[in-house]
Amino acid sequence: MKTLEQVLNQFESECIDNRDANRLARFVPEEHLDKIGIELKDEFKGKHVAEEFTRENILEQLKSDVAFGFEKALGQRGISASLMFEVVKMWNWILEEGLEDFDEYPMYGLPLFKATALKYGFDNPIGNDNGDESKYESE
C-alpha cells in the first residue's frame, strides 16, 4: 500500500467534480489538503480531523464506494458511474494489491466494480456476469 506521503506527492484528481479528492480528504491532515486540491471554507478551517490512513480504513471507504458504483452503473447513470469508476481506481491505486492498473470501462465500469468486490469480499450484485454483457447497455 502506498504511504500517505506517496499519495500526496503523486495524486492527481481524475474527476470533474473532485469526487476522488473529496473522498481521499477524509484521510489527509488539514495542513496537507492543498496537496490534493482541497481548500476548506473558512467555517471549516481548524475543524478537519483526518482518519488514520490504514488499509482497514481505506477498505471501509472502498466498500461503500464500490456499492455506490454498482448502484450508479446498474441504473445506467453514465456520469455518476464514470466518476465512481475513477474513485474505485484511486483506491485500488493506493492499495496496490493487483487492481491498480485496471483501466477498462465497458458498461458503466461494472467489470472494475465486480473485480474489486470479488477481491475484497464485498457485495457483488451482478453475480456470475462479467459486467460487459449487452444487457447492461443503455437502450
Side-chain angles (χ1 to χ4, degrees):
M1 182 171 138
K2 287 183 176 16
T3 64
L4 181 56
E5 183 178 345
Q6 288 172 312
V7 172
L8 293 175
N9 288 330
Q10 299 171 17
F11 175 77
E12 291 183 26
S13 179
E14 297 293 331
C15 294
I16 58 174
D17 67 351
N18 252 9
R19 187 174 303 203
D20 49 0
N22 286 319
R23 281 171 164 75
L24 179 58
R26 175 178 172 186
F27 304 100
V28 176
E30 186 170 329
E31 63 271 15
H32 298 297
L33 288 173
D34 62 321
K35 291 182 179 181
I36 61 167
I38 300 291
E39 184 177 336
L40 295 176
K41 293 181 180 177
D42 287 340
E43 64 263 28
F44 297 110
K45 289 181 180 174
K47 297 177 184 173
H48 176 75
V49 178
E51 290 187 36
E52 191 175 359
F53 188 78
T54 64
R55 181 178 184 274
E56 293 75 25
N57 288 344
I58 298 296
L59 287 175
E60 179 184 313
Q61 182 64 49
L62 178 59
K63 182 178 183 178
S64 173
D65 289 338
V66 166
F68 193 57
F70 269 124
E71 176 187 330
K72 296 305 175 187
L74 292 171
Q76 298 180 337
R77 303 294 304 234
I79 294 171
S80 291
S82 70
L83 294 171
M84 291 313 298
F85 177 83
E86 294 300 335
V87 168
V88 171
K89 274 181 47 180
M90 174 192 68
W91 294 129
N92 283 325
W93 170 74
I94 288 170
L95 288 166
E96 299 181 305
E97 295 181 2
L99 295 174
E100 60 270 17
D101 294 323
F102 199 106
D103 206 21
E104 298 175 41
Y105 184 74
M107 306 308 166
Y108 304 96
L110 283 172
L112 174 64
F113 302 142
K114 177 179 178 162
T116 304
L118 292 179
K119 177 156 188 70
Y120 296 109
F122 304 156
D123 185 42
N124 167 32
I126 64 171
N128 291 327
D129 288 353
N130 293 323
D132 60 358
E133 293 82 0
S134 62
K135 68 182 177 183
Y136 297 114
E137 287 184 82
S138 63
E139 297 182 22

